[in-house]
Amino acid sequence: MTEYNAHFRCFRGCAGTYSIFEVLYTCPQCGGLLEVEHDIGALREGSADSWRRLFDNRVGTTEWPYGSGVWGKKEWIMPTIADDNVVSMYEGNTNLFWAERLGQQIGLSDLWVKLCGNSHTGSFKDLGMTVLVSVVKQMREEGVPVRAVACASTGDTSAALAAYAAAAGIPAVIFLPEGKVSPAQLIQPISNGAHVLALDTDFDGCMRVIREITHDGDSPDSSIYLANSMNSLRIEGQKTVGIEIVQQFDWEVPDWIIVPVGNLGNISAIYKGLKLMKDLGVVDRLPRLVAAQAAKANPFYLSYLNGFSQRVSVEAQTTLASAIQIGDPVSYEKAVQAIQETEGIVEHVEEHEMAAASAMADATGMYTCPHTGTALAALFKLLQREVVQSHERVIVVSTAHGLKFTPFKIGYHEGTLTEVESDLANPPVYLPPDAGIVRDTIQRKLA
Ligand SMILES: *Cc1c(COP(=O)(O)O)cnc(C)c1O
């Protein structure tokens, strides 16, 4: 059996490697982001075919922990975790929805929506959190004094952290921007027994406070472990989204993958997974990546407009796409690489565009969150500009379940959302219990 290994290394290329079981979030030399580096030589000993076969054979198995979409690719993700320390809800392996009807309406026959929200806590944040919490469990088993895990969140990260920490019996501390997450997202960590702190600030403000509370290494505060995507352990699990999409097409690479972005961890992760596949010869090209932002919180779009010559941050304005309401994204440098190396594009959309795209998708049988609406609206624009061509295969990553955003859905169909014309509003009809009136109403509706 080949031994596989992984460690932290500075993303900018400073010398030195660090154990993934060390409490460390940023490079001790330059303060930049770390990334998990795999022993590519050992991984290359397996042929491309043997990797494909191994991963295909594990889908849906009950053999712990390989039935998980993340842990089914354990050798590529976090090989040095003992199976007993894996904290998994069998996340991943989410369905790829052929959006046939929506595709017909917009003139794109090969449109697919990767339903990452069909997961334990209802968003794709489960994918990264299973890895991070498993590493923490192993650290605690080995005597590293981690008392709790903590994160700042726009809602979905905290829901995922709280669930996985509760399953592992590890205390969780959650920092939420007060009044800026959906009711479902607020009640999830409360139900899972996390310590929920609602701060009178925005996400970027929460991030600043948590950075002060969770220090690297030997400081007295280092016993509270940071679970934000600044912690590159998260990226390892999140990178399975791209790998899984390719696997679901029998290892064929699509033309485009479109993903809504905020803190920029996930698009970086998708690129990292695809790049690993290419390095191992499992695929021979990369899809083009599209990062979709809300115009109300569009620092990455503004940076893209200046050719990434200058990193822009903004004060994020209120957007329906609250999980991506972020003005100073942490994984900026990694995401720039993801866009540049894939001939990628950054697009932004107005509130009414995301709400309309979401409603249009719902009318064809989906139930989309506003972030998925953001990605769909970006696609509509790129199609209109003929950047995306009608014969191409396009994957839109649906990042959360629509059921987590009920106030958005109600607001749309009641016509009460700010800056949104509810052209597809479909309110209920209130009638007396009279068969005649009911019959007439149905006739009128179906006419
Ligand atoms: C976290 C999140 C995103 C964006 O991911 P980043 O890594 O922050 O860019 C998009 N959609 C939803 C629903 C999310 O929870």
Side-chain angles (χ1 to χ4, degrees), residues 106-108 255-259 267 288-293 301 304 339 343-349 353 374-392 394-396:
I106 61 171
L108 190 66
D255 297 302
W256 298 90
I257 296 178
I258 304 179
V259 55
I267 189 148
R288 294 179 72 181
L289 298 182
V290 177
Q293 291 213 290
Y301 176 73
Y304 170 77
I339 295 299
E343 281 184 81
I345 290 176
V346 186
E347 187 53 89
H348 77 165
V349 306
E353 293 173 316
T374 301
L376 286 168
L379 167 63
F380 295 176
K381 286 180 145 178
L382 294 174
L383 255 176
Q384 215 155 43
R385 293 211 304 269
E386 296 180 13
V387 177
V388 172
Q389 314 260 312
S390 59
H391 64 273
E392 291 182 305
V394 178
I395 320 300
V396 167

Side-chain angles (χ1 to χ4, degrees), residues 277-337:
M277 294 177 89
K278 186 151 180 280
D279 288 345
L280 296 177
V282 174
V283 299
D284 57 8
R285 67 185 184 103
L286 298 177
R288 294 179 72 181
L289 298 182
V290 177
Q293 291 213 290
K296 299 274 187 194
N298 63 353
F300 195 49
Y301 176 73
L302 296 176
S303 303
Y304 170 77
L305 285 189
N306 71 38
F308 297 123
S309 60
Q310 217 176 1
R311 174 178 179 164
V312 180
S313 56
V314 301
E315 188 169 334
Q317 306 299 304
T318 301
T319 167
L320 294 165
S322 51
I324 54 175
Q325 188 174 319
I326 294 176
D328 188 14
V330 163
S331 293
Y332 173 79
E333 288 170 46
K334 292 181 177 179
V336 170
Q337 181 191 49

Side-chain angles (χ1 to χ4, degrees), residues 188-217:
Q188 284 181 289
I190 289 173
S191 306
N192 288 138
H195 305 288
V196 177
L197 313 177
L199 305 193
D200 182 15
T201 179
D202 58 7
F203 170 80
D204 299 291
C206 288
M207 199 65 221
R208 280 191 290 276
V209 174
I210 201 168
R211 283 294 290 149
E212 287 186 41
I213 304 285
T214 60
H215 286 286
D216 290 315

Side-chain angles (χ1 to χ4, degrees), residues 154-156 180-188 322 404-407:
T154 53
D156 290 326
K180 295 187 175 70
V181 307
S182 79
Q185 290 170 326
L186 174 62
I187 203 64
Q188 284 181 289
S322 51
K404 293 184 86 166
F405 297 89
T406 302

Side-chain angles (χ1 to χ4, degrees), residues 92-98 112-119 244 248:
N93 288 325
T94 52
N95 47 317
L96 197 51
F97 178 93
W98 179 30
W112 302 76
V113 180
K114 175 70 169 159
L115 293 174
C116 294
N118 292 353
S119 186
E244 212 171 271
Q248 284 171 311

